[in-house]
DNA sequence: GGTTAAGCGGAACCATGTTCCGTATCGTCT
DNA sequence: AGACGATACGGAACATGGTTCCGCTTAACC
């Protein structure tokens, strides 16, 4: 699926074996660290866990966002691909939209601190926006548009704004039993409905 | 209103003049710094702007939250007091609720980074939650309860959750013209309505 | 085995928050 | 006025975490 190896022509000079090995170790260590300490686990910790020096982490993943993207790429892809599927399988476009948003929320609340990072304007996370947005906004837009065309929801909200809103609502879910992000997201989606 | 001076008895030994002067300077400098650099403006910057040493800032405001609270206390009070007033003046409880939430949103989006800080689990901001919540949750609860009793909105959402949700939605407003927190908050409030 | 460039490690540097203590100043008492 | 103790001050020193850089290692190829 990705553009690594077996590509069209020459531009893949095949990295050295130790480089590939270290990259994998870093991904594993980062995934583990993200679970225990959240997505802003100290760089040194991740490097130590992977048994490499800090320099190596920066060589493979220049910014923290690159590392996060690499770790979660599969899941984001899965979420993106679920959009059309749900649209085909659900009884109404609004149902599909609601279910898809559920997937998105699940993804965010299970990754400690990811929602925060996504909204943060910290330079380290800057590349996170483009990646998530490029991949998910079109999917969400299609769901919104289909539902709007079916006359189920209001028209004047674009996918970007909705995704950011949902992402924002997910901030701090998980840390606080009195706050249930899913319920608020559900209210937001309910607010979209035409009455 | 506050419990400073002219109190009941002995426990106010009257601070030294330079201490009071520095405290005021710090408040002014912090207010200015918060506008230009957000609520996490570097401690040293604020101290320099106020013409004092960093030690002085910590003596007067042990945590950043204390400083933020001191700077914005008036406005939080005003917001809290507006609750009953709106309830008395508005045509319906739901209108009062919507207007009050508007005030709250206005407050948050005009203070660069305050919404972020409010939701952050950073230890430095820990005292921010109690203050805001103690002051505003009861007000919001009364608005919610009145509207629910009037049969205008759903019952199963408590004030804490709503305020956190609205606070979350305000994160990053102001930095991004494509994201309009007010619109999403309005949708959320719309989602509360019984239909 | 010899050569070379990709890759590595981690010391060093920078930015920030936080603590601590020697010194300066205030307020008061004589 | 002068002295004295308590209060408050400043900023150096320390802690933490991100980021850079360069001398050394080693995989890959001849």
């Amino acid at each position: 699926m990705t553009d690594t190896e077996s590509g069209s022509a020459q531009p893949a000079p095949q990295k050295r074996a130790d480089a590939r090995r270290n990259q994998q170790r870093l991904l594993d260590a980062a995934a583990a660290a993200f679970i225990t300490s959240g997505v802003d686990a100290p760089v040194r910790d991740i490097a130590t866990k992977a048994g490499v020096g800090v320099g190596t982490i920066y060589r493979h993943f220049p910014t923290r966002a690159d590392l996060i993207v690499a770790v979660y790429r599969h899941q984001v892809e899965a979420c993106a691909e679920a959009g059309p599927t749900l649209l085909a399988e659900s009884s109404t476009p609004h149902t599909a939209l609601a279910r898809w948003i559920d997937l998105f929320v699940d993804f965010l609340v299970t990754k400690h601190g990811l929602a925060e990072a996504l909204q943060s304007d910290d330079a380290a996370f800057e590349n996170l926006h483009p990646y998530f947005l490029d991949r998910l906004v079109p999917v969400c837009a299609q769901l919104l548009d289909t539902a709007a065309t079916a006359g189920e929801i209001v028209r004047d909200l674009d996918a970007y704004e909705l995704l950011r809103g949902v992402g924002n609502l997910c901030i701090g879910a998980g840390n606080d039993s009195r706050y249930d992000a899913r319920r608020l997201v559900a209210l937001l989606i309910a607010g979209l409905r035409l009455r």
Side-chain angles (χ1 to χ4, degrees), chain A residues 32-178:
Chain A
F34 289 174
I35 290 171
T36 60
S37 317
V39 293
D40 36 35
V43 177
R44 275 182 251 264
D45 288 4
I46 300 176
T48 303
K49 232 183 265 240
V52 305
V54 283
T56 301
I57 218 174
Y58 282 98
R59 197 166 317 105
H60 288 286
F61 307 100
T63 75
R64 183 177 293 272
D66 295 322
L67 183 55
I68 297 176
V69 166
V71 168
Y72 293 133
R73 175 160 262 148
H74 295 332
Q75 290 172 69
V76 175
E77 289 304 314
C79 185
E81 284 162 17
T85 311
L86 284 172
L87 208 42
E89 291 177 354
S90 302
S91 49
T92 77
H94 182 272
T95 312
L97 174 64
R99 284 194 195 159
W100 187 76
I101 293 285
D102 265 352
L103 286 179
F104 182 52
V105 171
D106 272 338
F107 175 60
L108 287 184
V109 301
T110 54
K111 313 297 172 243
H112 187 73
L114 219 208
E116 284 86 335
L118 250 189
Q119 314 300 334
S120 150
D121 54 358
D122 186 329
F125 298 117
E126 203 159 334
N127 299 340
L128 228 48
H129 288 249
Y131 172 64
F132 271 77
L133 296 180
D134 287 356
R135 202 64 192 88
L136 300 180
V137 164
V139 177
C140 184
Q142 198 198 341
L143 286 159
L144 274 179
D145 191 58
T146 310
T149 303
E152 294 186 304
I153 62 170
V154 299
R155 263 227 115 74
D156 68 334
L157 184 73
D158 69 23
Y160 171 76
E161 206 161 13
L162 177 58
L163 283 186
R164 278 216 44 192
V166 171
N168 273 356
L169 285 176
C170 291
I171 289 176
N175 310 331
D176 183 348
S177 59
R178 287 176 302 171

